Amino acid sequence: MIPFILCLILFLIGLYGIITQKNLIKIILGLAIMEYSVNLFLIMIGYIDGGTAPIFSEKFHISSYVDPLPQAMILTAIVIGLATTALLLAMAIRLYRKYGSFDIRKINSLKG
Amino acid sequence: MEIYLIIMLVLMICGSLFSLHAKDLLSAVISYGIVGFGLVISFLLLQAPDLAIVQVVVEIVTLVIMIAVIKDTTEEQNKQTASFSHFVYLLVLLLFTIAFYLAFEKVSGGLSPFGQHVTRMATAYTYGVNTTGSANLVTGVVFGFRAYDTLGEATVLFTAVIGVLTILRLKGKKGE
């Protein structure tokens, strides 16, 4: 159970970054850390003690594989995470060009 | 096996904490690399080599993009002073922590303990070697049983590339 708890702590650190940091880049880093911890958590659920990688061969019996379904799902999620991070960074660099700062307290033209 | 995973996770936690508190952005991004590459090693420990390969590529691309974003920014980091709003943020974070912990307790009751997972849903996939002909079961799931998901993923990636190009377009319309 300890790895699950540590994964939760990693998630909460990412959340801490999003809530408390003022720098746009660090907020994006916090978001990426949260995403990584969720990926790792789902892979951990599918792990079986003493299991081998789910690649078929004559040597290993089928029942000794770890669960291939979470791995396939997370494979998709990792690539989508890259896409979101790239999009966020593009927005950040656009904001930097306009305001000359990554500080969210200075990016206030749309303030109501 | 579990102890190595715990060591990697503790390293990742240290890296993420340092990354969020680093003085300048370059060291923040580089120590964020600790988290990503620690994740790669964790995937290898958890017997997921396909994921490890994809994660290496994704991590390097992310780091390159991030360093390209921050390399010509010359901004002094503002000192974070303890203020009232900081206190409010920490309070909100505490509330979130309690809420997430309670949810975690609730959910993890239904989970098997670490390493005791029983493959329930994926039995059809596990015997899918005869159906798809792919020796790698993960590839069999991604491109065989769930090929439409992969198509959707490609669509999302394409949309993100279009979005980045649109945002980063240097010149606007004429007359702007």
Side-chain angles (χ1 to χ4, degrees):
Chain A
M1 201 44 88
I2 300 172
F4 290 157
I5 301 274
L6 285 175
C7 226
L8 180 73
I9 291 174
L10 195 62
F11 183 87
L12 287 171
I13 288 172
L15 190 69
Y16 162 77
I18 290 179
I19 292 179
T20 59
Q21 296 298 315
K22 298 290 193 298
N23 194 305
L24 216 48
I25 296 292
K26 287 194 176 172
I27 292 175
I28 295 172
L29 288 183
L31 199 71
I33 288 169
M34 279 168 84
E35 177 200 312
Y36 282 174
S37 77
V38 170
N39 288 349
L40 186 57
F41 183 71
L42 290 176
I43 291 298
M44 273 189 211
I45 288 177
Y47 179 71
I48 298 171
D49 264 342
T52 56
I55 295 170
F56 185 75
S57 67
E58 299 295 331
K59 219 164 68 179
F60 301 111
H61 190 252
I62 278 179
S63 61
S64 71
Y65 295 150
V66 300
D67 200 343
L69 187 60
Q71 297 194 9
M73 299 287 98
I74 297 303
L75 200 66
T76 312
I78 288 174
V79 178
I80 289 179
L82 172 68
T84 27
T85 311
L87 199 58
L88 285 170
L89 283 168
M91 287 182 199
I93 199 168
R94 196 69 183 167
L95 283 170
Y96 184 84
R97 279 186 197 155
K98 186 156 171 60
Y99 292 95
S101 167
F102 280 130
D103 196 330
I104 54 171
R105 284 167 297 191
K106 291 179 187 159
I107 302 170
N108 52 8
S109 278
L110 281 177
K111 221 176 199 176
Chain B
M1 163 53 225
E2 194 178 337
I3 189 76
Y4 296 124
L5 192 64
I6 290 172
I7 292 170
M8 281 324 293
L9 267 165
V10 170
L11 185 67
M12 283 163 72
I13 287 172
C14 296
S16 58
L17 275 177
F18 183 76
S19 153
L20 292 175
H21 286 284
K23 286 279 192 304
D24 59 326
L25 287 178
L26 191 61
S27 44
V29 169
I30 287 172
S31 50
Y32 164 73
I34 295 175
V35 185
F37 290 113
L39 190 64
V40 172
I41 297 174
S42 308
F43 281 158
L44 281 178
L45 289 175
L46 290 167
Q47 304 291 338
D50 312 87
L51 285 175
I53 295 167
V54 171
Q55 180 67 36
V56 165
V57 174
V58 163
E59 186 60 30
I60 290 173
V61 170
T62 313
L63 285 183
V64 166
I65 294 175
M66 279 185 177
I67 291 177
V69 167
I70 65 171
K71 79 176 181 346
D72 48 358
T73 61
T74 56
E75 195 189 354
E76 288 271 318
Q77 273 280 339
N78 302 52
K79 290 258 161 51
Q80 295 231 355
T81 49
S83 62
F84 178 68
S85 64
H86 204 72
F87 178 70
V88 172
Y89 292 147
L90 286 181
L91 197 67
V92 169
L93 185 74
L94 191 68
L95 288 177
F96 266 118
T97 307
I98 294 169
F100 273 116
Y101 186 72
L102 289 178
F104 177 78
E105 283 278 288
K106 188 87 176 166
V107 168
S108 62
L111 288 177
S112 320
F114 180 72
Q116 312 285 313
H117 176 71
V118 182
T119 309
R120 292 188 300 268
M121 275 195 257
T123 41
Y125 300 139
T126 318
Y127 291 96
V129 171
N130 307 319
T131 321
T132 58
S134 160
N136 188 336
L137 296 180
V138 176
T139 315
V141 175
V142 168
F143 290 108
F145 295 106
R146 291 189 172 263
Y148 282 117
D149 278 356
T150 312
L151 187 66
E153 173 204 334
T155 315
V156 169
L157 205 60
F158 184 69
T159 316
V161 170
I162 295 285
V164 169
L165 288 180
T166 313
I167 291 171
L168 290 185
R169 199 173 40 153
L170 282 177
K171 287 177 181 170
K173 286 177 187 168
K174 277 180 186 173
E176 211 174 29

